[in-house]
Amino acid sequence: MAKVNIKIEGHPYQVEEGLTILEAARECGYEIPTLCSFNHGECSLASCRVCLVEATGARGLVASCVYPVNEGMEITISSPKAVNARRASVELLLSNHSMNCQQCDKNGHCELLYVAQITGAREGKYLGSKTPTTVDELSPSIVRDTSKCILCGRCVARCVAAHGIGILGFEKRGFNTIVAPAANRSFAESPCLQCGQCVNVCPTGALMEKSEINLVDKAKMEGKFVVVQTAPAVRATLGEEFGMPIGTPVTGKMVAALKRLGFDRVYDTNFGADLTIMEEATELLNRVKNGGVLPMITSCSPGWINYAEYYYGDQLDHLSSCKSPHQMQGAIIKSYFAEKNGLDPKDIFVVSIMPCTAKKFEKSRDQFKHDGITDVDAVLTTRELAKLIKRSGINFTKLPDEEFDQDIMGEYSGAGVIFGATGGVMEAALRTAYFVLEGKEHEAIKFEQVRGMKGLKEASFKLGGIDIKVAVASGMRNAKVLLDQIREGKSPYTFIEIMCCPGGCINGGGQPYVKPQFLPNEDLNILDTYREKRANALYSEDERLTLRQSHNNSQIKDLYAKFLGEPNSEKAHHLLHTTYNKTRVRFPEK
Amino acid sequence: MAHLSASAVKQITEIVKRYENERTPLMMILSAIQSEYGYIPLDVQELVSDLTGIPVAEIYGVVTFYSFFSLNPKGKYVVGVCLGTACYVKGGQSIIDKFSELLGVKPGETTPDGLFTLSALRCIGACSIAPAVSINGKVYPKMTVGKVQEVIDEYRKLGGAN
Amino acid sequence: MVKTEKDLELTAKSCAKNLEDKFSGASGKIAVLICSGTGCLATGAKDILATFQEEIKNRKLEAKVEASKVGCFGFCSQGPFVKIMPKNIVYRGVKASDVSEILEKTVLGDEIIERLLYVDPVTKEKVSKLEDMAFYKKQIKVALYGCGIINPEDINEALGYGAYQGLKRALHMDPQEVINEVLTAGLRGRGGGGFPTGRKWQFAHDQVSDEKYVVCNGDEGDPGAFMDEGILEGNPLGVIEGMTIAGYAIGAKQGYFYVRAEYPTAVARLRNAIKQAEEMGFLGNNILGSNFSFNIGIRLGAGAFVCGEETALLNSIEGKRGMPRPRPPFPAVKGLWQKPSIINNVETLACVPFILREGASKFNALGTEKSKGTKVFALGGKVNNVGLVEVPMGITLRELIYDIGGGIPNGKKFKAIQTGGPSGGCLTEKDLDTPIDYDNLIAKGSMMGSGGAIVMDEDNCMVDVAKFYMDFICDESCGKCSPCRIGTKRMLEILNKITDGKGTLADLDELEELAQVVKANSVCGLGQTSANPIVSTMKQFKDEYMAHIVDKKCPAHVCKSLMKYVIVADKCKGCTLCARNCPVNAISGTVKQPHVIDQSKCIKCGLCQSNCRFDAIIKE
């Protein structure tokens, strides 16, 4: 790449041609405040006007997030003109903003508040009327409060970039402009995946997960027997909420914290993941042997299930009938565990700590309720767990490492751990399939072909004389490619893993926010590397474990021997499998 | 979409097809629907979304951006009072105020009997005969506050008859 | 079909002959030309034409008389116009009921109908020829070429009047030579900014790309301006020819018109002209036997002022919300569908055939040092002669308002002329002798804009005018960038406060501050210029702002909260008309006694004043 010579604040630098002023300045050690710009132009409307600087060769101030550097350009960030302009842009935004910052759940992660501080926004400047507000709380997963929206467009761009469905858009114009699903409907009345990718990129509190901390509090107060389980991807990210570097696994501290929070049992959803592999691998082999519908597609990701139901209702037979791991585990807790402990399932309250907002929706699906008993009663995101920990006065970083409760469902394999990264379920299934079809363990254990952050991956194996071609997709934009092949009858695959969020659950919509301005000790390009770092935290835990295949989990074997019979048995079907809604309406009539 | 009639679905499909050789024809499609139906309700937008692959949120965003597109049916007679500069400096505001008072609706609204929609227009290019009022395309030049009742009565008399 | 230059030569010759015969009477027919611009159409021109045609048919005069449309005469406030050739008699203010009389007396006979003649407001003399009217004396038709003369729906008349001679010459030149010609002519963008057209073309010409586009911006947004409408209605083929030449110059094969949907007549004429040009071979493949091929499509706006901004316009054609794009990249590099594109205003393109046909030197002989050629203005507001005028650059405002415009009606006092629409500013008495060109207007705190020129008199409140424009901009702001979306709202709120009589002196400082912020911080021209009407009126009419804020008075009696209607007892005859018609029963009094308005009930609708036959009701 050619280099150009520029000056910033009078100092000469050489930077790559084609960079925006914002990117070039960042590389040279300057941080120009910005709101709407996000992740290398993923969103680049240049609409917030918070990154204005002076640059030679341009007429007036320029938006550094879109204006490219060129040879000989002299950039001034600190001139009174630029400083005042940036401050005024922020003040105008604040004048049309709900100012309940103290009570806002985004407090501490709010980029608007951050730029207000660094630009020196003055209190009460330019006050006036406000754009009429909509607060959408109908969805079990996401709350949208337009009074906090600054119309940066990041969420609109993310929904399209990740899934290609564009649930959110700009509506109306001028001062009345809002960002909303079509017709300002609720997320609950739109074909929204509830995945929370939009929440992850929202700079303010306009998009947030719907908190269920209150449900947990209530259950405890009512004296319920509260069992908590944590998804694999949570351990890879929870530390970030407490200032630890991205990619630090904190399994032990997380367990210690949960125990101090007074949960009656602390389990790992990895047990459920191992159980999923047993059921899913069996289902796959049955389909292969008996000429069932192929390719079979994983069903762990509720955002993906939503997508399948809304957009590929004609192809649902391809989905594995397996419930997702935490639903399986919830079902086992309320049956086998209850029985063993002499508890009435009605008195048990299952809390899942998930990297996901769609799980909040998933747990309330009709399919997961039997005789008034739900598999899972509350889903907290990684972020909510951090809040719970902070609220309880626990100094997370100083906690000792502790172990999950070991009774009945304490054991888990490395195969379960890697569920949290794209390709992880596939790899876990391959480990078990290899054993079943080849009659021995795969020596290398790893299946590198399905690892990595690429959105679409494929690999072929010959196992026990059978050719198996697999594909892995994350982000519905990528999944669509595979699904269209299936719809056209041209899919070459036997087994497909699909995860809703790009990169898998380590990048789920309930994971800690990755906002470079709040992460001064991370790499400059952290937005490019955080997914991989988080995934590596999971792969490293897998490496540390001695038990690395689901089928070798002795408590799973026990569970089958003592309770379920065998994988895909009638009882297993009743508790661990589900059905899908072929006629889900994308736009319910109002 | 559930309550769109089969014939409406057919007609809208035909409109979308009409522009299949045009690049990015969304505006053309919406203009055609607006002029043929008088409005573009959400379920029609959902159908257009299905037919074109454009997200319905994007279509809704376009419909609500341009003032020519309407989400609701308009009255039989659309009273457009020009508030372009030439008309404004010659008293256009008092004309629209009078219409508003006599029809009992604000600009942008439709009378309960569905007869009149009052709308404020931004220059219809009839500046020479300001202040101008346009009712279903018929232009009333050099309007005065005093003539408003008369004009309304003219259309009341025609009533709902076609 | 005109396939070669030779074809064009022959066709043009015979068309010119026909046209000449039509006007000279050599055709054996008397030609009745009826103005069919939007102004005249609105006041009955359509009926007039239909009545003429019906009468001609009924009286079996087909061989003797022919009635046809012509493009806008420009003198819209006097319309509808009817011109009779070769007698060269012009009637104004014609009604359908006059048709029979005109036919009998003037067309068949030799009698002039005095009451239909134009009366000069200054000399009070009756005038029967357009060229004798002061309104036309300083005008030169370049963009409005053929308006008032040829039928804009008939390509043959246009060909007889010089159409496609410019393209013919251009096709003999290199594209670069064509650009040089436009540069030499000194043509600058007529849409407002005044950017040299040739330079715009050069940028696009220099881009290497498989596809390029010419886009004509006909989204005339300035409320109170109808230049582009007049040009598209009266000279559609000129704009098409200009676009074709532009296409040749930059290497584009496709052009698009983006026209306001509010202009149905213009759109219909444009469609018709494109169709005729296609049929004749002026659009399509191998135009005039050259290697150059060009096609044109039409896209309609849907009611968004911001789409006059060129990148917003491109987004609109692309089926998106009309929100401006950040620049760079400029459209000449990445424009329509990310391909190199030029966006030229209607009037700009309409000037191009003249430049190529007559030569750059003839164009740049007109105008001032840096602003060449002519400019079309939509002269409106409080001026006697309202209409569309095309004058050489450099004419003074005084000439425009008084010589052409005939001064201010009803003996009122001139207060200001607003140019540049919502992006422009006001010019006052002291600026009247300033020659009009791009740079002078900017130096005076206004701008050329697209050509709207609204005259205001003493009855106009300048704070209210500023509020009008701010209300417009606030309504039309696309909402994308925060300074424009929120800043214009804040400015409007302050102006509302002031006109409601609740303003404070601190509000003026806040207005000034906001004006600067919105200007410096906004993404596009709409936002950057949105405060101009405020800045300009605050500078020129500070006393009016002060009167609203300090004295709580609106000197022009416009702002409702700061004025009241009162009955002058001396003048009131007690006819009770006002009291009977008052919608809120605020007026009381006995018959033949002076009446009184109860100010606590009055809603200031003004009905009483417009009804009073004795001028007894005044505002104060």
Side-chain angles (χ1 to χ4, degrees):
Chain A
M1 214 34 182
K3 297 269 183 182
V4 290
N5 295 291
I6 60 167
K7 277 187 179 172
I8 302 177
E9 300 288 299
H11 294 271
Y13 297 97
Q14 250 195 359
V15 295
E16 262 179 38
E17 195 181 1
L19 289 184
T20 63
I21 293 175
L22 187 80
E23 291 168 326
R26 198 170 277 159
E27 287 194 358
C28 301
Y30 300 87
E31 194 60 48
I32 303 170
T34 176
L35 280 175
C36 68
S37 148
F38 182 71
N39 192 18
H40 305 301
E42 177 180 334
C43 178
S44 59
L45 293 178
S47 62
C48 73
R49 316 310 281 174
V50 171
C51 68
L52 297 174
V53 297
E54 289 193 74
T56 51
R59 217 174 41 156
L61 299 161
V62 298
S64 58
C65 64
V66 289
Y67 208 92
V69 290
N70 51 48
E71 180 61 36
M73 181 184 267
E74 294 180 26
I75 297 154
T76 315
I77 304 169
S78 67
S79 71
K81 190 176 164 191
V83 166
N84 287 340
R86 292 196 296 267
R87 182 182 66 184
S89 288
V90 175
E91 286 169 344
L92 281 169
L93 283 170
L94 287 169
S95 79
N96 191 28
H97 187 80
S98 142
M99 301 277 223
N100 301 319
C101 300
Q102 296 88 340
Q103 293 100 325
C104 177
D105 268 352
K106 208 55 160 266
N107 194 339
H109 299 282
C110 177
E111 297 176 52
L112 178 59
L113 206 50
Y114 174 77
V115 297
Q117 281 163 357
I118 61 170
T119 59
R122 295 159 293 179
E123 191 180 343
K125 197 67 189 162
Y126 306 131
L127 290 188
S129 63
K130 289 181 180 172
T131 305
T133 298
T134 299
V135 181
D136 165 24
E137 296 180 299
L138 272 184
S139 150
S141 299
I142 304 169
V143 178
R144 179 173 59 96
D145 178 352
T146 63
S147 74
K148 294 173 181 171
C149 177
I150 57 163
L151 303 180
C152 66
R154 289 187 196 178
C155 54
V156 178
R158 173 53 65 93
C159 190
V160 172
H163 305 315
I165 53 174
I167 290 299
L168 289 162
F170 289 96
E171 288 177 14
K172 302 186 184 171
R173 74 177 182 209
F175 195 67
N176 295 317
T177 311
I178 54 167
V179 168
N184 200 13
R185 281 178 171 224
S186 164
F187 284 122
E189 300 163 332
S190 311
C192 165
L193 314 182
Q194 318 285 347
C195 76
Q197 281 298 311
C198 55
V199 175
N200 279 7
V201 296
C202 179
T204 70
L207 290 165
M208 297 287 294
E209 68 266 59
K210 187 163 190 179
S211 179
E212 295 184 0
I213 290 178
N214 58 332
L215 297 182
V216 179
D217 289 343
K218 187 163 167 265
K220 283 188 190 167
M221 280 201 292
E222 285 170 354
K224 293 265 172 81
F225 189 93
V226 185
V227 181
V228 69
Q229 54 169 325
T230 69
V234 176
R235 73 207 61 199
T237 63
L238 181 63
E240 295 168 25
E241 289 280 346
F242 302 92
M244 297 163 88
I246 290 182
T248 311
V250 292
T251 319
K253 289 188 196 308
M254 175 181 74
V255 174
L258 288 168
K259 293 200 165 165
R260 279 156 185 73
L261 287 170
F263 290 104
D264 295 300
R265 285 288 192 288
V266 181
Y267 288 130
D268 196 334
T269 308
N270 284 345
F271 179 86
D274 283 338
L275 192 54
T276 303
I277 288 299
M278 298 308 292
E279 290 296 320
E280 207 162 79
T282 308
E283 182 185 356
L284 177 65
L285 293 174
N286 281 338
R287 289 194 191 207
V288 172
K289 277 186 209 152
N290 304 329
V293 177
L294 289 173
M296 187 176 92
I297 313 175
T298 59
S299 56
C300 308
S301 166
W304 145 237
I305 300 298
N306 285 336
Y307 183 76
E309 288 184 337
Y310 280 132
Y311 299 94
Y312 288 86
D314 54 332
Q315 304 297 329
L316 295 177
D317 292 345
H318 289 272
L319 266 62
S320 160
S321 62
C322 290
K323 290 183 183 176
S324 71
H326 85 118
Q327 295 290 155
M328 283 200 183
Q329 193 149 342
I332 295 297
I333 290 168
K334 295 214 175 166
S335 54
Y336 182 56
F337 174 89
E339 200 178 294
K340 282 274 179 191
N341 288 283
L343 290 162
D344 182 341
K346 286 196 177 67
D347 295 331
I348 302 178
F349 190 89
V350 175
V351 182
S352 301
I353 312 291
M354 296 283 130
C356 184
T357 50
K359 294 276 180 199
K360 289 174 183 274
F361 164 81
E362 180 191 41
K363 69 151 196 325
S364 60
R365 284 175 70 103
D366 288 342
Q367 288 94 331
F368 299 144
K369 281 176 201 150
H370 302 287
D371 313 321
I373 306 283
T374 50
D375 294 343
V376 172
D377 301 285
V379 169
L380 303 185
T381 61
T382 310
R383 295 185 293 256
E384 285 174 274
L385 173 59
K387 262 177 212 145
L388 206 56
I389 294 170
K390 287 173 186 166
R391 189 186 78 174
S392 308
I394 296 166
N395 188 341
F396 185 80
T397 54
K398 299 287 189 290
L399 285 173
D401 286 346
E402 291 182 11
E403 289 253 330
F404 285 105
D405 286 314
Q406 289 301 309
D407 60 321
I408 301 178
M409 47 185 83
E411 202 174 311
Y412 64 87
S413 74
V417 176
I418 60 173
F419 261 53
T422 168
V425 178
M426 178 59 70
E427 183 171 343
L430 286 171
R431 290 181 190 178
T432 291
Y434 188 97
F435 176 77
V436 174
L437 295 170
E438 292 278 317
K440 59 177 185 190
E441 296 295 353
H442 180 47
E443 231 171 287
I445 304 176
K446 291 194 222 175
F447 287 83
E448 292 274 7
Q449 303 94 314
V450 295
R451 294 192 180 186
M453 287 298 120
K454 264 178 65 186
L456 204 49
K457 297 170 276 191
E458 60 169 9
S460 309
F461 306 97
K462 199 164 190 119
L463 300 180
I466 305 174
D467 282 317
I468 292 183
K469 201 163 180 200
V470 303
V472 174
S474 66
M476 294 303 101
R477 192 180 263 289
N478 297 313
K480 186 176 194 312
V481 177
L482 303 176
L483 293 163
D484 287 341
Q485 281 178 346
I486 293 174
R487 192 174 263 169
E488 288 163 21
K490 292 178 185 161
S491 179
Y493 305 108
T494 320
F495 187 39
I496 294 173
E497 176 203 300
I498 294 180
M499 290 292 157
C500 182
C501 292
C505 306
I506 41 105
N507 187 37
Q511 292 284 42
Y513 303 113
V514 181
K515 307 203 162 182
Q517 59 272 57
F518 298 125
L519 301 167
N521 299 320
E522 297 288 353
D523 310 337
L524 267 184
N525 62 342
I526 188 64
L527 282 172
D528 299 328
T529 58
Y530 74 96
R531 296 177 197 178
E532 201 141 10
K533 287 184 174 187
R534 287 172 171 178
N536 287 341
L538 295 178
Y539 288 119
S540 71
E541 177 153 332
D542 171 43
E543 302 265 348
R544 274 198 306 276
L545 292 168
T546 45
L547 172 58
R548 297 183 66 184
Q549 297 90 0
S550 304
H551 54 268
N552 293 330
N553 183 328
S554 64
Q555 286 184 333
I556 290 280
K557 289 181 193 167
D558 245 27
L559 176 66
Y560 279 110
K562 293 180 182 159
F563 185 65
L564 292 172
E566 57 190 29
N568 289 8
S569 70
E570 205 185 314
K571 192 159 192 180
H573 256 286
H574 178 66
L575 285 170
L576 307 180
H577 290 251
T578 185
T579 55
Y580 304 104
N581 188 351
K582 286 193 181 189
T583 54
R584 191 148 167 204
V585 183
R586 250 182 279 168
F587 304 102
E589 269 181 48
K590 285 190 103 166
Chain B
M1 261 171 285
H3 55 274
L4 277 185
S5 70
S7 70
V9 170
K10 191 167 161 249
Q11 272 174 297
I12 286 155
T13 309
E14 273 165 14
I15 289 175
V16 172
K17 237 188 159 139
R18 200 184 298 166
Y19 300 104
E20 65 187 356
N21 294 324
E22 295 281 351
R23 216 160 153 183
T24 58
L26 181 62
M27 291 285 288
M28 303 172 104
I29 292 168
L30 295 177
S31 293
I33 295 172
Q34 175 69 40
S35 68
E36 286 174 38
Y37 288 84
Y39 70 121
I40 315 173
L42 186 62
D43 39 14
V44 168
Q45 295 175 41
E46 286 160 8
L47 178 57
V48 173
S49 168
D50 274 357
L51 293 168
T52 60
I54 301 166
V56 66
E58 199 178 321
I59 295 175
Y60 191 84
V62 170
V63 170
T64 55
F65 187 87
Y66 296 95
S67 58
F68 252 49
F69 299 142
S70 167
L71 292 167
N72 299 307
K74 290 194 172 162
K76 187 168 164 63
Y77 306 110
V78 179
V79 180
V81 180
C82 184
L83 288 183
T85 321
C87 290
Y88 185 80
V89 301
K90 287 193 169 174
Q93 185 66 47
S94 61
I95 305 289
I96 197 165
D97 288 348
K98 195 72 199 172
F99 270 107
S100 186
E101 178 202 325
L102 293 179
L103 292 175
V105 292
K106 290 198 204 96
E109 292 176 353
T110 301
T111 53
D113 60 5
L115 212 51
F116 296 98
T117 297
L118 182 61
S119 75
L121 302 178
R122 295 297 189 184
C123 196
I124 52 172
C127 312
S128 58
I129 47 170
V133 170
S134 161
I135 300 178
N136 289 11
K138 181 175 176 190
V139 179
Y140 290 77
K142 299 180 185 170
M143 275 297 288
T144 61
V145 171
K147 281 196 225 162
V148 171
Q149 183 68 59
E150 195 184 309
V151 171
I152 293 174
D153 289 345
E154 181 186 333
Y155 287 92
R156 281 250 162 83
K157 228 176 276 166
L158 285 174
N162 277 308
Chain C
M1 219 28 201
V2 176
K3 284 185 182 160
T4 63
E5 270 184 34
K6 186 82 192 150
D7 290 350
L8 175 60
E9 223 169 88
L10 293 172
T11 312
K13 213 170 170 182
S14 80
C15 289
K17 174 86 173 43
N18 290 344
L19 196 62
E20 210 188 301
D21 291 351
K22 176 175 172 182
F23 293 145
S24 68
S27 65
K29 285 185 195 174
I30 289 176
V32 179
L33 311 176
I34 294 115
C35 178
S36 57
T38 285
C40 288
L41 286 176
T43 44
K46 206 175 161 190
D47 283 349
I48 295 168
L49 177 63
T51 314
F52 264 113
Q53 284 168 339
E54 203 185 302
E55 291 266 336
I56 290 167
K57 202 178 155 200
N58 290 347
R59 299 177 188 216
K60 304 204 176 5
L61 293 170
E62 285 99 335
K64 282 187 181 171
V65 186
E66 185 188 357
S68 64
K69 293 178 188 174
V70 281
C72 181
F73 281 87
F75 203 171
C76 310
S77 56
Q78 293 288 329
F81 276 86
V82 171
K83 186 176 180 180
I84 295 143
M85 292 299 279
K87 301 186 181 182
N88 197 14
I89 293 164
V90 171
Y91 290 136
R92 40 47 82 201
V94 178
K95 293 188 186 69
S97 54
D98 298 324
V99 167
S100 185
E101 190 184 349
I102 294 173
L103 261 181
E104 235 150 76
K105 288 187 178 162
T106 313
V107 176
L108 300 175
D110 274 321
E111 194 181 329
I112 288 179
I113 305 164
E114 296 278 322
R115 74 180 144 80
L116 294 177
L117 290 179
Y118 171 67
V119 182
D120 188 293
V122 181
T123 62
K124 308 291 174 203
E125 275 174 28
K126 289 187 172 157
V127 186
S128 69
K129 294 181 171 59
L130 284 182
E131 45 273 32
D132 292 340
M133 297 178 194
F135 182 78
Y136 290 101
K137 282 196 174 154
K138 296 192 172 174
Q139 294 201 46
I140 299 173
K141 306 265 184 195
V142 172
L144 288 167
Y145 192 67
C147 285
I149 296 167
I150 59 167
N151 180 349
E153 293 177 5
D154 184 351
I155 193 170
N156 288 316
E157 291 205 356
L159 286 170
Y161 205 65
Y164 283 110
Q165 297 302 323
L167 178 67
K168 188 180 105 181
R169 178 162 169 250
L171 292 177
H172 273 280
M173 302 158 83
D174 264 356
Q176 184 60 55
E177 285 173 332
V178 175
I179 293 173
N180 292 345
E181 187 83 1
V182 173
L183 281 169
T184 309
L187 177 62
R188 293 170 69 174
R190 299 296 195 241
F195 191 82
T197 305
R199 274 174 60 199
K200 214 179 216 185
W201 291 14
Q202 189 74 58
F203 288 138
H205 169 270
D206 294 347
Q207 296 294 316
V208 180
S209 173
D210 52 339
E211 285 168 54
K212 294 183 188 178
Y213 297 100
V214 183
V215 177
C216 176
N217 184 346
D219 193 50
E220 186 167 51
D222 174 358
F226 51 104
M227 297 75 55
D228 296 347
E229 183 189 35
I231 295 167
L232 288 173
E233 284 177 4
N235 183 21
L237 214 56
V239 192
I240 292 168
E241 184 185 348
M243 182 186 265
T244 312
I245 294 169
Y248 176 70
I250 70 160
K253 292 190 192 70
Q254 177 72 40
Y256 286 98
F257 275 96
Y258 185 89
V259 188
R260 292 183 86 195
E262 288 90 334
Y263 292 167
T265 308
V267 172
R269 298 248 167 93
L270 192 58
R271 278 195 208 286
N272 172 66
I274 290 173
K275 192 165 159 266
Q276 291 185 354
E278 284 169 350
E279 284 165 4
M280 295 284 275
F282 294 113
L283 290 171
N285 292 333
N286 303 102
I287 295 167
L288 292 179
S290 70
N291 290 326
F292 174 61
S293 304
F294 196 70
N295 286 293
I296 294 179
I298 298 184
R299 300 291 183 115
L300 295 191
F305 172 71
V306 69
C307 289
E309 199 280 342
E310 57 184 22
T311 57
L313 185 155
L314 295 179
N315 274 343
S316 186
I317 293 181
E318 291 183 12
K320 299 177 193 152
R321 292 161 62 84
M323 304 205 289
R325 305 173 181 173
R327 276 175 290 196
F330 289 93
V333 180
K334 282 185 178 177
L336 188 58
W337 298 307
Q338 298 297 305
K339 299 291 181 184
S341 308
I342 53 166
I343 298 108
N344 283 140
N345 163 268
V346 169
E347 187 181 338
T348 313
L349 289 178
C351 289
V352 170
F354 180 94
I355 293 167
L356 270 297
R357 185 177 68 234
E358 313 274 336
S361 57
K362 196 145 178 199
F363 187 83
N364 71 21
L366 300 166
T368 63
E369 195 196 336
K370 287 185 177 165
S371 302
K372 300 296 184 188
T374 57
K375 180 76 196 84
V376 182
F377 287 97
L379 190 59
K382 306 286 186 63
V383 62
N384 274 313
N385 302 338
V386 171
L388 211 53
V389 303
E390 184 167 6
V391 291
M393 296 271 191
I395 195 172
T396 65
L397 287 170
R398 190 182 300 281
E399 290 173 279
L400 184 66
I401 298 168
Y402 289 94
D403 297 348
I404 295 172
I408 316 299
N410 307 325
K412 296 274 184 177
K413 201 166 162 283
F414 167 77
K415 187 186 248 180
I417 178 166
Q418 214 278 353
T419 65
S423 304
C426 291
L427 300 158
T428 59
E429 188 77 37
K430 66 181 183 338
D431 304 315
L432 282 180
D433 294 309
T434 305
I436 303 171
D437 70 9
Y438 289 100
D439 312 288
N440 280 340
L441 290 185
I442 286 173
K444 295 278 175 191
S446 183
M447 66 186 286
M448 181 78 82
S450 54
I454 307 285
V455 179
M456 313 202 190
D457 68 9
E458 56 190 289
D459 289 343
N460 291 114
C461 167
M462 299 316 284
V463 184
D464 181 65
V465 166
K467 191 175 85 174
F468 164 78
Y469 280 114
M470 195 45 70
D471 184 52
F472 176 82
I473 284 296
C474 203
D475 204 35
E476 295 291 341
S477 165
C478 79
K480 174 176 173 170
C481 77
S482 48
C484 177
R485 180 180 73 241
I486 305 168
T488 57
K489 179 77 175 177
R490 296 293 172 251
M491 288 192 276
L492 178 62
E493 284 168 350
I494 295 173
L495 287 172
N496 274 326
K497 206 175 143 194
I498 293 174
T499 56
D500 277 350
K502 293 171 187 154
T504 64
L505 288 175
D507 286 331
L508 290 182
D509 297 335
E510 183 103 334
L511 261 186
E512 252 166 54
E513 194 183 318
L514 276 164
Q516 274 177 18
V517 167
V518 175
K519 179 180 181 181
N521 290 20
S522 296
V523 170
C524 80
L526 183 146
Q528 286 160 7
T529 59
S530 63
N532 285 358
I534 291 187
V535 174
S536 157
T537 52
M538 272 173 78
K539 195 172 151 209
Q540 315 265 21
F541 300 96
K542 186 87 177 221
D543 53 327
E544 287 197 31
Y545 280 87
M546 297 304 277
H548 283 74
I549 292 169
V550 180
D551 309 333
K552 306 294 174 202
K553 287 221 155 64
C554 173
H557 311 305
V558 172
C559 300
K560 279 189 177 174
S561 306
L562 301 176
M563 56 78 74
K564 56 184 177 185
Y565 286 95
V566 291
I567 296 173
V568 182
D570 292 351
K571 288 190 176 174
C572 180
K573 307 279 188 217
C575 74
T576 75
L577 183 63
C578 58
R580 279 184 280 129
N581 284 302
C582 178
V584 288
N585 295 322
I587 305 178
S588 56
T590 42
V591 184
K592 297 195 176 162
Q593 294 296 315
H595 281 44
V596 184
I597 299 174
D598 180 347
Q599 296 299 335
S600 67
K601 284 187 185 164
C602 177
I603 55 166
K604 295 167 188 174
C605 71
L607 192 59
C608 53
Q609 192 187 35
S610 64
N611 281 342
C612 181
R613 284 173 293 192
F614 310 103
D615 293 333
I617 300 176
I618 58 163
K619 297 180 198 171
E620 66 177 34

